[in-house]
Amino acid sequence: MGVGIKTRSGSGRVATARLSAQPGGPRSQWAAAFLAALPIVPRGVAARWRRAAAAPGEGEGRSAGVRRRRRAGGAMLRTSLRQVSAALKDGRVTPTELCQRCLALIKTTKFLNAYITVAEETALKQAEESEKRYKRGQPLGILDGIPIAVKDNFNTAGIETTCASNMLKGYISPYNATVVQKLLDQGAVLLGKTNLDEFAMGSGSTDGVFGPVRNPWSYSKQYKDKSVPKSHSEDEESNWVITGGSSGGSAAAVSSFTCFAALGSDTGGSTRNPAAHCGVVGLKPTYGLISRHGLIPLVNSMDVPGILTRCVDDAAVLLGSLAGHDPKDSTTIQDDFKPFEIPNLTDFSKLSIGIPKEYHAPGLSSEILALWSKAADLFKNAGAKVVEVSLPHTRYSIVCYHVLCTAEVASNMARFDGLEYGHRSDMKDSTESMYAATRREGFNDVVRGRILSGNYFLLKQNYEKYFVKAQKVRRLIANDFVKVFRSGVDILLTPTTLSDAALYTEFIQEDNRTRSAQDDILTQAANMAGLPAINVPTALSERGLPVGLQFIGRSFQEKQLLTVAKWFEKQVQFPVIQLEEVKRHDSGVFQHKKSASFS
Amino acid sequence: MAAAVAMAARGCGGVWRRARQRGAGQPGPGPGPFPRGQRAVACNARGGAVPAGKSGLVPWVPVVGLEIHAQISSNSKLFSGSQVQFAAPPNSLVSFFDASLPGTLPVLNRRCVEAAVMTGLALNCSINKKSLFDRKHYFYADLPAGYQITQQRVPIAVNGSLSYSLCIDNKMSQMVTKTVRIKQIQLEQDSGKSLHDDTRSQTLVDLNRAGVGLMEVVMEPDMCCGEEAAAAVRELQLILQTLGSSQAVMAEGQLRVDANVSVHHPGEPYGVRTEVKNINSIRFLAKAIDYEIQRQIEELENGGTILNETRAFDSKLGCTVPMRDKEGKQDYRFMPEPNLPPLILYDAKSLPANMNHQQVINIDWIHERLPDLPSVKRKKLVEQYGILPEHSFTLLNEDGLAEFFESVVKQTQMKPKKVIGWILKDLLSYLKQHSLTVKESPVSSFLLADLLNLLEKKEISSPAAKQVMAIKAGNQKVLNKLIGLVQKKTEGRSNPVLVKQLLEKKLSE
């Protein structure tokens, strides 16, 4: 059974019935019908949307008693990258001070488990260098002195790169990934490496060897106010929600203000999914726009370095500093990439927003459905054309992805044999038994399971039946997008996730494969087609948790995509996270302690 | 039965020597590809039917195909910037990619592609304007990534042919030209080297060779004995060396030949084949194949069966033995290499106008610049100098010999037909005695020309010229003979000591 609307069973939700009853209905009326069909618009959503969002630093109001300087520090950490860059330039804060504040906040939020390695020493050194440049009046650009974090599947010279796996625990790469090198070359300060699912295989950031990442929103005032604890002590421990994944550490790091931007990777939604759950912007650029050299691969033909930031403008800054041809990655495009500032969207008459009906998938929460249609209305009311479109092959995306992903995983993981690097078993009976033991000890069940399936699909007698067929389906999925864009649609608007973040205790009830299949459902097709897509935090759910919507653009049309996303971001005024926990631990902000790693 | 076996065994020298002319009814003179059904009916003696033997058994037809790996002569490896060099200190030429460090990606070396295109053109192949790379998976200590990048689905060149000549009954005067079809040429990575230390039961891995560019040349099973295979490989070797696409020195592993061998009765389907590996010289190639043919015939005649297996040639014992590893039976789980876009080549017609020339490879451009291939060079030598065809083969058999010959011819009045004798008969045998190559010859083309001029003018005799050459080539003992000649000429009136001094002075000039 596919993902199509008609196959949806169960609760008999009105919206479903109406939509499936008129798939070919007049497009212009679709959005209205969509919304009207909902019996109740969730109160929380509507109310929150109407209210203008708090300005950055609003949460400070509660900590009026806190010493002034500390408050300023908090406020500084909660600004956008562009704002803090301006502050660095004006001398309102120094790179070292900023770095120390971030490092202190990382310590006080250690319980989030967002970082695997904190590179305190090198970060402070980099900050010092940056400070010298600012003093000379020669900063390297907007990123100089900006604290950033990098997912632990990007190679970083001299800093451990683990992929959250026993296989690479203690592995120190001799080289920097191209994206890491570019950030460093532009003066960014690398705070550390963020947590993930082992080898990025997962959608919760719960399946890494260093334990699950906790969603900062679990500790927000917004969530606590909504979730009524049953009993005190028990609840504190079991009430936290997941970040989504696999770039959950990066999303949590940006969301909890420990860094201004973070790199993730996105193969089936691994950047956008946690971005949605953590209330941050998550950009998956077009395949081929950013170098993968140094990114430890999951699926080479779909992997893209992802960008996680607090706002769309910041994502554009990062994109501008990372994009472009890399001689070390033959799949990057040769054309020059021109960094851009996002213009304001004013002319809606030429804008056509497509609403793919297949994204009304089984399990989509009514809240998100309502938000989605509200968003469509926003564009319509602004004067844009909003049309229902169909991507008929998207329903096969999950199975197709399963075959292609596991096949590449089986191949990519073949290099981990314990000989050149990484874990090596003590088993010495024979080379073969050493291989087997090394891989059994080094990989978790999820990785081993995917290797096993992948090798099965690649067997000579199965290759045509599975792999070749999956490739053909992938082509069909990609062609769906081509057709839609050719029909005049500029941007597709869809939900990013089916629901808000799940409680960890609930999330782990299901196995990784089932979860990944469900959670990637709305994001994966963009990877199949190589298209750029972005999660924009949109509103809080009834539980007080972030919900995001996704925009999918044409290949290499990031500027158009981000322009639309920025306009939308401005309209929805997503609230700032109110982190009681961060404030409570804020006293540590200036207490710089030396330790290379917290993990 | 025993007689038949003995017969077959003896046949190694005679029975398989000459194939009946294949495709006799085929139109056109060209060495064009033979339709499958029409290939060698029987590999037999003297063009007649294979003698059935006294026991009246049906004759055996051996079928030989070759897979040849030629290391590409290039400064850097196929997908990385590491240097390519023979016998460098272990693991001194290893990039992050060669060691398969996680996150590294392949970047195709333009020079390797050009070498493959040149080779493909020289072997009359069609060059695929779009070829693809695949991953071939197997676990082995000297294959760090767990897969080899190769061209399994669409190789860079297909459907070619190679003409080669061999002489009959070791008589240079009886040469036949044959053609073997080239199925394909594919680009692929070389593996590293494993060194097994049995006493300490450990394996040491050297990755210097890992990732070096290889051209795998696949020859169709159009040959029927070791000698044919050896002649074909020798010709290929000369072509590669002429092109400079590979140094093709077998002893250094730059040319590795695996032979697929089977036998069957005429009119019946091919027999089960074995793959013979570990052959490190052309001489051993012929030996290994002939041994394997004989072994298979004996096995079958004794009621046994042939296993589809990989066998290694033991050069000391002169036989093939089963290899322990079951590599041949593995499922390689081929998969497209996702990190390399399709390899696109252009010709003059398809070349995009606005394309950076550094970015594209133009097949026509390479074609126009191909050097004269050995067959053309031989033809030119025969036509230009009136020498015998078999002499042209010998001239090309050693690097620099033809040039040496031409240089001598230019500087002497002696007829080329006579010059060739002096070079092939006298000079070469002297050089051989002292294990020297033509390029190392103490007798320069100038000196030889001078000597031959003296001979032409009858100023010296032929024996005297031979003595001079012998001394020059390193044989000091011959000096006495020369002194004797002077004594004879001067009727004993010269001072032997002075003659010796003068001769030594002259010869060292």
Side-chain angles (χ1 to χ4, degrees):
Chain A
M1 290 292 253
V3 172
I5 288 160
K6 284 183 183 167
T7 65
R8 185 170 157 177
S9 60
S11 59
R13 286 174 198 157
V14 189
T16 313
R18 284 289 292 274
L19 200 60
S20 58
Q22 41 168 261
R27 281 177 175 180
S28 53
Q29 288 171 22
W30 179 83
F34 198 167
L35 185 57
L38 276 168
I40 309 154
V41 175
R43 266 175 304 127
V45 170
R48 206 159 280 110
W49 203 326
R50 259 177 238 120
R51 194 174 45 172
E58 182 215 40
E60 290 305 309
R62 287 198 145 237
S63 49
V66 182
R67 272 186 298 133
R68 208 176 175 179
R69 190 157 178 227
R70 195 181 299 158
R71 212 175 70 194
M76 192 64 81
L77 291 182
R78 287 163 213 217
T79 59
S80 73
L81 188 156
R82 278 156 53 107
Q83 283 168 325
V84 84
S85 183
L88 283 168
K89 213 173 161 190
D90 299 348
R92 277 178 281 150
V93 65
T94 67
T96 306
E97 199 182 354
L98 196 59
C99 179
Q100 282 171 343
R101 284 178 187 184
C102 285
L103 288 168
L105 194 53
I106 290 174
K107 280 181 193 172
T108 58
T109 56
K110 198 187 164 205
F111 59 91
L112 295 175
N113 204 16
Y115 289 80
I116 291 175
T117 304
V118 181
E120 187 166 339
E121 235 171 274
T122 52
L124 286 167
K125 252 183 225 158
Q126 288 162 358
E128 218 174 282
E129 290 302 312
S130 169
E131 196 152 330
K132 284 182 200 158
R133 291 191 293 268
Y134 275 105
K135 274 183 186 154
R136 286 201 306 268
Q138 293 170 324
L140 293 168
I142 191 164
L143 289 183
D144 206 339
I146 304 289
I148 50 121
V150 171
K151 190 178 180 179
D152 207 16
N153 59 349
F154 286 94
N155 282 282
T156 45
I159 302 170
E160 222 176 300
T161 301
T162 70
C163 284
S165 173
N166 275 326
M167 189 58 92
L168 285 178
K169 236 188 206 173
Y171 173 71
I172 295 180
S173 169
Y175 75 99
N176 279 321
T178 297
V179 282
V180 171
Q181 192 61 52
K182 283 192 172 188
L183 290 174
L184 295 178
D185 288 348
Q186 291 169 78
V189 173
L190 174 59
L191 296 171
K193 306 293 288 292
T194 58
N195 206 345
L196 66 156
D197 291 297
E198 183 161 332
F199 282 101
M201 295 181 206
S203 57
S205 301
T206 54
D207 284 335
V209 75
F210 299 102
V213 185
R214 298 184 180 209
N215 192 324
W217 284 85
S218 313
Y219 306 93
S220 70
K221 182 175 184 304
Q222 290 101 323
Y223 178 67
K224 283 182 174 173
D225 285 353
K226 299 277 179 179
S227 65
V228 188
K230 283 169 233 148
S231 80
H232 243 50
S233 57
E234 221 179 279
D235 230 63
E236 276 290 297
E237 217 4 76
S238 63
N239 226 16
W240 59 275
V241 297
I242 59 151
T243 54
S246 62
S247 311
S250 287
V254 173
S255 163
S256 61
F257 309 115
T258 59
C259 65
F260 289 85
L263 293 184
S265 60
D266 195 313
T267 310
S270 279
T271 291
R272 289 159 288 159
N273 176 286
H277 286 324
C278 293
V280 297
V281 168
L283 170 65
K284 171 225 173 289
T286 309
Y287 185 86
L289 187 60
I290 298 189
S291 169
R292 292 180 294 113
H293 172 255
L295 165 62
I296 298 179
L298 175 58
V299 184
N300 298 283
S301 62
M302 297 184 211
D303 290 342
V304 180
I307 293 166
L308 294 124
T309 52
R310 303 219 227 288
C311 61
V312 178
D313 270 326
D314 287 355
V317 170
L318 262 281
L319 183 71
S321 60
L322 298 176
H325 178 67
D326 179 8
K328 291 176 180 152
D329 177 356
S330 307
T331 62
T332 51
I333 52 148
Q334 301 277 342
D335 308 357
D336 288 336
F337 178 83
K338 285 194 193 90
F340 55 83
E341 271 201 29
I342 305 173
N344 285 322
L345 184 59
T346 46
D347 184 9
F348 286 84
S349 64
K350 282 176 197 143
L351 181 68
S352 173
I353 302 286
I355 310 290
K357 60 181 185 182
E358 287 81 4
Y359 280 67
H360 184 187
L364 184 66
S365 82
S366 55
E367 282 185 285
I368 293 184
L369 185 61
L371 270 180
W372 185 16
S373 71
K374 231 168 123 28
D377 281 350
L378 257 184
F379 281 99
K380 206 177 138 200
N381 294 338
K385 211 164 109 187
V386 176
V387 293
E388 186 194 19
V389 296
S390 175
L391 300 161
H393 296 97
T394 287
R395 62 161 69 181
Y396 305 112
S397 172
I398 296 290
V399 277
C400 175
Y401 179 85
H402 180 68
V403 174
L404 297 177
C405 170
T406 56
E408 281 203 37
V409 163
S411 177
N412 288 332
M413 296 294 145
R415 70 189 58 217
F416 297 102
D417 56 12
L419 285 183
E420 279 82 13
Y421 41 78
H423 176 71
R424 183 191 292 181
S425 169
D426 292 331
M427 174 69 75
K428 282 179 183 139
D429 292 355
S430 68
T431 309
E432 283 72 23
S433 63
M434 190 276 284
Y435 286 161
T438 294
R439 291 164 71 78
R440 189 172 57 245
E441 293 160 12
F443 294 138
N444 70 4
D445 290 351
V446 178
V447 178
R448 290 213 308 277
R450 290 201 194 183
I451 291 172
L452 196 64
S453 333
N455 277 323
Y456 176 79
F457 296 135
L458 289 178
L459 284 177
K460 207 174 174 186
Q461 77 258 27
N462 294 335
Y463 184 75
E464 290 285 328
K465 212 164 31 174
Y466 294 102
F467 191 82
V468 172
K469 203 173 268 181
Q471 277 187 312
K472 286 179 183 163
V473 175
R474 180 179 182 179
R475 170 69 61 195
L476 291 173
I477 292 168
N479 283 349
D480 281 352
F481 284 101
V482 172
K483 278 180 202 155
V484 164
F485 287 127
R486 207 174 277 158
S487 77
V489 168
D490 299 301
I491 303 279
L492 296 170
L493 170 62
T494 82
T496 310
T497 58
L498 294 173
S499 62
D500 57 5
L503 281 172
Y504 174 70
T505 48
E506 284 170 17
F507 187 77
I508 56 169
Q509 298 301 310
E510 295 225 66
D511 69 276
N512 177 294
R513 200 176 121 195
T514 315
R515 283 172 346 226
S516 298
Q518 286 167 356
D519 297 339
D520 287 351
I521 205 162
L522 304 171
T523 45
Q524 203 175 69
N527 296 83
M528 291 277 190
L531 300 171
I534 188 170
N535 171 73
V536 180
T538 306
L540 293 185
S541 69
E542 283 182 304
R543 293 162 68 209
L545 294 173
V547 170
L549 290 178
Q550 174 180 232
F551 294 88
I552 304 173
R554 293 188 169 117
S555 270
F556 301 107
Q557 299 301 313
E558 268 77 1
K559 190 172 179 181
Q560 185 182 40
L561 176 71
L562 294 188
T563 304
V564 170
K566 184 183 170 183
W567 178 84
F568 180 73
E569 176 187 51
K570 203 173 162 194
Q571 305 308 305
V572 297
Q573 295 288 324
F574 182 75
V576 169
I577 183 171
Q578 294 177 38
L579 267 183
E580 298 292 332
E581 237 72 17
V582 172
K583 280 180 218 155
R584 200 186 307 151
H585 293 85
D586 236 4
S587 56
V589 165
F590 294 108
Q591 289 164 12
H592 165 56
K593 283 180 194 143
K594 275 205 170 177
S595 79
S597 166
F598 300 161
S599 62
Chain B
M1 187 66 102
V5 173
M7 179 87 201
R10 255 184 283 118
C12 200
V15 174
W16 309 320
R17 174 144 303 151
R18 252 173 67 186
R20 190 163 69 192
Q21 284 307 113
R22 286 188 215 115
Q26 210 173 283
F34 303 100
R36 269 194 180 275
Q38 258 185 288
R39 65 159 304 284
V41 177
C43 191
N44 50 28
R46 312 286 119 87
V50 174
K54 281 173 189 160
S55 59
L57 286 173
V58 194
W60 291 103
V61 181
V63 175
V64 179
L66 300 175
E67 281 171 27
I68 299 156
H69 288 89
Q71 219 176 59
I72 297 169
S73 171
S74 60
N75 294 329
S76 57
K77 295 184 180 179
L78 181 55
F79 297 120
S80 80
S82 332
Q83 222 189 308
V84 176
Q85 194 192 311
F86 183 69
N91 295 311
S92 61
L93 309 172
V94 186
S95 71
F96 299 153
F97 175 79
D98 305 329
S100 81
L101 294 200
T104 51
L105 300 169
V107 179
L108 185 57
N109 181 346
R110 181 195 170 98
R111 156 71 194 162
C112 293
V113 177
E114 287 171 338
V117 171
M118 281 170 80
T119 306
L121 291 171
L123 295 177
N124 310 302
C125 292
S126 339
I127 306 296
N128 278 324
K129 293 213 185 102
K130 178 183 173 183
S131 60
L132 305 169
F133 290 98
D134 305 280
R135 291 179 178 180
K136 176 181 178 177
H137 300 88
Y138 60 93
F139 282 105
Y140 206 75
D142 55 26
L143 188 75
Y147 56 81
Q148 174 199 35
I149 303 178
T150 178
Q151 295 195 298
Q152 190 237 356
R153 290 166 299 163
V154 187
I156 191 162
V158 292
N159 297 333
S161 64
L162 168 70
S163 292
Y164 60 95
S165 299
L166 68 166
C167 47
I168 296 159
D169 294 337
N170 277 330
K171 282 180 201 147
M172 283 301 279
S173 54
Q174 291 185 50
M175 299 202 77
V176 287
T177 298
K178 302 199 168 188
T179 300
V180 55
R181 293 170 296 157
I182 307 287
K183 186 174 177 234
Q184 64 185 56
I185 300 173
Q186 64 198 49
L187 279 166
E188 60 185 37
Q189 295 173 297
D190 208 340
S191 63
K193 277 180 185 166
S194 297
L195 307 160
H196 303 287
D197 179 349
D198 287 333
T199 48
R200 268 175 285 184
S201 74
Q202 59 178 7
T203 299
L204 301 167
V205 179
D206 178 8
L207 294 180
N208 280 355
R209 204 182 65 178
V212 170
L214 293 178
M215 295 176 281
E216 180 177 341
V217 181
V218 182
M219 291 184 183
E220 297 280 11
D222 295 342
M223 292 154 288
C224 62
C225 63
E227 206 182 330
E228 281 191 11
V233 169
R234 178 65 188 134
E235 188 66 10
L236 176 68
Q237 194 177 32
L238 283 174
I239 290 172
L240 295 174
Q241 287 165 347
T242 304
L243 296 172
S245 60
S246 171
Q247 290 177 320
V249 180
M250 277 186 93
E252 289 183 10
Q254 289 149 346
L255 197 70
R256 279 164 258 159
V257 185
D258 300 336
N260 291 312
V261 178
S262 69
V263 298
H264 67 133
H265 291 304
E268 287 177 14
Y270 286 175
V272 176
R273 67 175 201 199
T274 59
E275 188 178 8
V276 186
K277 288 179 179 253
N278 202 27
I279 303 166
N280 51 25
S281 78
I282 290 184
R283 199 161 56 87
F284 288 151
L285 172 67
K287 267 193 155 181
I289 290 171
D290 287 342
Y291 175 87
E292 183 58 18
I293 291 169
Q294 186 185 328
R295 185 191 71 82
Q296 290 189 11
I297 292 173
E298 283 179 29
E299 186 71 39
L300 292 167
E301 298 239 319
N302 287 325
T305 50
I306 302 301
L307 298 173
N308 180 3
E309 63 181 352
T310 305
R311 299 177 69 87
F313 179 67
D314 186 320
S315 56
K316 279 180 196 145
L317 300 174
C319 66
T320 66
V321 288
M323 276 175 91
R324 255 190 308 130
D325 72 355
K326 295 279 181 288
E327 234 183 67
K329 295 199 177 86
Q330 276 193 23
D331 189 322
Y332 291 120
R333 291 157 288 132
F334 283 101
M335 185 190 94
E337 167 56 67
N339 294 319
L340 289 166
L343 170 56
I344 307 290
L345 304 173
Y346 299 89
D347 56 20
K349 262 190 212 160
S350 64
L351 194 69
N354 55 350
M355 207 74 146
N356 180 353
H357 281 270
Q358 296 287 61
Q359 297 289 342
V360 298
I361 289 177
N362 182 345
I363 302 166
D364 291 334
W365 194 89
I366 294 175
H367 206 170
E368 284 160 22
R369 282 159 186 78
L370 280 186
D372 277 351
L373 295 178
S375 55
V376 176
K377 274 195 199 165
R378 287 186 202 110
K379 213 176 145 204
K380 282 190 178 172
L381 287 169
V382 170
E383 282 171 5
Q384 195 173 340
Y385 302 110
I387 59 173
L388 293 169
E390 55 264 35
H391 288 161
S392 72
F393 275 90
T394 318
L395 280 182
L396 285 196
N397 218 13
E398 194 184 324
D399 192 21
L401 187 57
E403 289 75 15
F404 188 93
F405 165 72
E406 291 193 278
S407 171
V408 174
V409 167
K410 265 184 209 144
Q411 301 174 68
T412 175
Q413 289 91 42
M414 191 185 268
K415 288 212 166 126
K417 268 184 173 177
K418 277 171 85 183
V419 173
I420 195 89
W422 279 93
I423 290 178
L424 297 189
K425 208 164 144 264
D426 303 290
L427 179 68
L428 281 190
S429 62
Y430 293 134
L431 291 177
K432 207 177 166 189
Q433 272 171 34
H434 299 279
S435 307
L436 294 169
T437 64
V438 174
K439 288 191 167 170
E440 297 162 336
S441 170
V443 180
S444 65
S445 59
F446 173 76
L447 188 114
L448 183 60
D450 220 22
L451 202 62
L452 298 181
N453 278 339
L454 290 172
L455 194 65
E456 272 298 275
K457 288 181 211 150
K458 302 228 161 60
E459 286 176 22
I460 58 168
S461 68
S462 180
K466 278 177 190 170
Q467 303 300 348
V468 171
M469 198 147 72
I471 296 164
K472 265 297 192 186
N475 194 345
Q476 289 297 325
K477 282 179 198 163
V478 185
L479 195 63
N480 294 333
K481 280 194 180 177
L482 211 57
I483 294 165
L485 282 172
V486 174
Q487 290 288 355
K488 205 174 161 191
K489 192 91 180 170
T490 56
E491 290 164 358
R493 282 173 295 180
S494 59
N495 175 354
V497 180
L498 196 64
V499 169
K500 194 179 179 228
Q501 276 171 2
L502 282 169
L503 281 171
E504 274 171 350
K505 199 183 163 214
K506 277 278 170 199
L507 286 166
S508 62
E509 275 171 10

